[in-house]
């Protein structure tokens, strides 16, 4: 239960500074205190990403139960889901520690620090991540059901092997395919309640799957230079801003259509609310496209940008066309408006699912 989506990083950078982790005078013992090690291990799990993943789990469980699920099952599922997500995120930090050290946004993550300042050793992080995965499997399997445990394990494996190892450094479609890892919480939550996977959770899976590219590409537009320096071919690195904006808009329309496909299962009150939220999201996506077009006509959004050759799949040179130019300047509000709105949108959409699940009215 993870997100390739850095959902997902919540726009606050890739990691928090850890007290004592960069103090050269404290020595190994002070930097390895229980408190600092604990905070470092927590940072590896990317708790802000886990928070948003769990926001999608609870409403799904409520829809499956057509009301409030048993409190014990809810806590077991949320705890198991958090452990699974923490496992995948920790292993991701272990595998990506080289590029995390290059990118300004992620350079404060525990494993990205140079050896003399590192609090957590890579082998320790890997063992911790695997341990979290084992704990998640046993908790969900023994106290919920083995289908929910298997789905959580599948999410971990998908995030680690398909996204992190297979796609992230090789193709601009990395977040499109790899983003599926962040969609599994809805399947896990539904399976925990019902013991099966039905049409409704599959639709919710599709909603998050289609939401992830607009959400993450907006963030990547701002941090394009970071990804280019790390030789990660995110779409804003290898495509002009107008192409990125157009794809964001297309995925946004597909996402809104998917949200409306849930209406037969969630009711007419949900349908009305989802339509309103969808219109809000689409208006901002159109606004971003319009902004990109205005900057392009002004000659600022299509300036060639230097990109390492390895960042461009199949590319032989070090220059790629367009690459978001002036639009992606750090602090530029255009893509970040959509990024922050996307977080609010998904939270409100799933809150709507939760509310309509317990309402006595609103069903067809």
């Amino acid at each position: 239960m993870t997100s390739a989506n850095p959902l997902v990083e919540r726009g606050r950078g890739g990691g928090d500074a850890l007290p004592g982790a960069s103090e050269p005078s404290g020595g190994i013992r002070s930097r390895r205190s229980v408190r600092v090690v604990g905070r470092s291990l927590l940072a590896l799990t990317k708790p802000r990403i886990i928070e948003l993943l769990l926001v999608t789990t609870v409403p799904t469980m409520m829809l499956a139960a057509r009301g409030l699920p048993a409190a014990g099952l809810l806590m077991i599922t949320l705890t198991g889901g958090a452990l699974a997500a923490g496992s995948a995120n920790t292993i991701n930090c272990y595998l990506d520690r080289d590029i995390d050290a290059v990118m300004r946004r992620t350079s404060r993550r525990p494993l990205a620090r140079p050896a003399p300042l590192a609090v957590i050793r890579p082998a320790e992080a890997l063992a911790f991540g695997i341990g979290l995965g084992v704990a998640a499997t046993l908790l969900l399997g023994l106290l919920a059901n083995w289908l929910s445990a298997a789905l959580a394990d599948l999410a971990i494996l998908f995030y680690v092997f398909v996204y992190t190892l297979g796609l992230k450094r090789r193709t601009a479609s990395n977040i499109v395919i790899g983003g599926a890892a962040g969609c599994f919480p809805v399947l896990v939550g539904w399976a925990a309640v019902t013991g099966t996977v039905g049409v409704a959770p599959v639709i919710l899976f599709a909603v998050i799957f289609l939401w992830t590219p607009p959400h993450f590409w907006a963030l990547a537009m701002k941090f394009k230079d970071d990804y280019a320096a790390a030789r990660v071919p995110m779409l804003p690195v290898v495509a002009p801003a107008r192409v990125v904006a157009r794809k964001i808009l297309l995925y946004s329309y597909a996402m809104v259509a998917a949200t409306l496909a849930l209406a037969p299962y969630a009711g007419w009150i949900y349908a009305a609310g989802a339509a309103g939220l969808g219109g809000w999201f689409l208006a901002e996506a159109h606004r971003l496209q319009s902004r990109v077009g205005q900057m392009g006509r002004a000659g600022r959004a299509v300036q060639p940008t230097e990109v390492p050759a390895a960042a461009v799949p199949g590319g032989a040179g070090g220059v790629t066309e367009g690459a978001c130019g002036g639009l992606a300047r750090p602090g530029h509000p255009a893509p970040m408006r959509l990024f922050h709105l996307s977080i609010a949108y998904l939270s409100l959409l799933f809150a709507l699912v939760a509310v309509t699940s317990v309402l006595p009215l609103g069903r067809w």
Side-chain angles (χ1 to χ4, degrees), residues 17 20 25 36 126 141 269 281:
S25 61
V36 172
L126 180 60
I269 292 180
F281 194 100

Side-chain angles (χ1 to χ4, degrees), residues 151-304:
L151 289 168
D153 288 342
L154 184 58
I156 296 172
L157 294 174
F158 194 95
Y159 189 56
V160 171
F161 290 99
V162 177
Y163 173 68
T164 305
L165 291 176
L167 299 173
K168 184 173 181 178
R169 308 189 193 207
R170 291 179 172 85
T171 172
S173 297
N174 47 21
I175 201 63
V176 176
I177 303 170
C183 309
F184 278 88
V186 296
L187 301 183
V188 173
W190 189 278
V193 173
T194 67
T196 63
V197 174
V199 176
V202 171
I203 294 173
L204 290 172
F205 184 103
V207 169
I208 303 172
F209 181 81
L210 295 167
W211 169 88
T212 300
H215 166 78
F216 193 71
W217 284 336
L219 180 70
M221 289 174 83
K222 175 178 179 179
F223 292 103
K224 171 189 66 68
D225 293 340
D226 261 4
Y227 286 109
R231 300 186 176 186
V232 176
M234 291 296 174
L235 183 65
V237 174
V238 300
R242 64 182 181 276
V243 172
V244 179
R246 183 171 67 249
K247 289 193 173 185
I248 284 176
L249 188 60
L250 291 174
Y251 273 93
S252 298
Y253 271 101
M255 175 197 68
V256 172
T259 66
L260 297 178
L262 188 67
Y265 304 91
W268 65 267
I269 292 180
Y270 163 83
L277 288 172
W280 179 42
F281 194 100
L282 290 175
E284 186 59 34
H286 275 285
R287 182 182 182 279
L288 175 61
Q289 186 183 48
S290 175
R291 179 65 172 161
V292 168
Q294 291 172 3
M295 296 184 70
R297 287 190 293 273
R300 291 182 292 159
V302 292
Q303 299 301 317

Side-chain angles (χ1 to χ4, degrees), residues 16-248:
D16 295 327
L18 302 171
S22 59
E23 297 173 4
S25 61
I28 295 297
R29 178 169 297 179
S30 65
R31 287 188 283 109
R32 293 279 294 182
S33 69
V34 173
R35 175 175 171 269
V36 172
V37 169
R39 288 202 61 185
S40 297
L41 291 174
L42 179 63
L44 289 174
T45 67
K46 305 179 186 177
R48 288 167 181 161
I49 294 179
I50 295 175
E51 174 191 339
L52 192 57
L53 293 174
L54 298 183
V55 163
T56 66
T57 304
V58 175
T60 302
M61 295 180 71
M62 294 174 66
L63 182 62
R66 286 295 178 180
L68 293 174
L73 180 62
L74 184 64
M75 292 307 300
I76 289 166
T77 306
L78 291 180
T79 303
L83 291 172
S87 169
N89 290 334
T90 299
I91 297 172
N92 170 265
C93 285
Y94 166 79
L95 295 171
D96 278 352
R97 62 190 185 277
D98 57 333
I99 61 177
D100 283 348
V102 174
M103 296 174 60
R104 182 178 63 247
R105 183 174 62 88
T106 57
S107 61
R108 292 185 298 170
R109 287 178 178 169
L111 295 182
R113 296 174 178 274
L117 300 178
V119 175
I120 302 297
R121 300 181 182 93
E124 295 170 337
L126 180 60
F128 177 64
I130 294 173
L132 290 177
V134 171
T137 303
L138 294 176
L139 181 65
L140 290 170
L142 295 174
L143 300 181
N145 54 58
W146 288 105
L147 177 59
S148 61
L151 289 168
D153 288 342
L154 184 58
I156 296 172
L157 294 174
F158 194 95
Y159 189 56
V160 171
F161 290 99
V162 177
Y163 173 68
T164 305
L165 291 176
L167 299 173
K168 184 173 181 178
R169 308 189 193 207
R170 291 179 172 85
T171 172
S173 297
N174 47 21
I175 201 63
V176 176
I177 303 170
C183 309
F184 278 88
V186 296
L187 301 183
V188 173
W190 189 278
V193 173
T194 67
T196 63
V197 174
V199 176
V202 171
I203 294 173
L204 290 172
F205 184 103
V207 169
I208 303 172
F209 181 81
L210 295 167
W211 169 88
T212 300
H215 166 78
F216 193 71
W217 284 336
L219 180 70
M221 289 174 83
K222 175 178 179 179
F223 292 103
K224 171 189 66 68
D225 293 340
D226 261 4
Y227 286 109
R231 300 186 176 186
V232 176
M234 291 296 174
L235 183 65
V237 174
V238 300
R242 64 182 181 276
V243 172
V244 179
R246 183 171 67 249
K247 289 193 173 185
I248 284 176

Side-chain angles (χ1 to χ4, degrees), residues 322-337:
C324 297
L327 185 72
R329 293 195 309 271
H332 197 290
M336 293 308 291
R337 277 178 57 99

Side-chain angles (χ1 to χ4, degrees), residues 296-323:
R297 287 190 293 273
R300 291 182 292 159
V302 292
Q303 299 301 317
T305 302
E306 292 293 329
V307 178
V312 185
V319 178
T320 188
E321 180 190 0

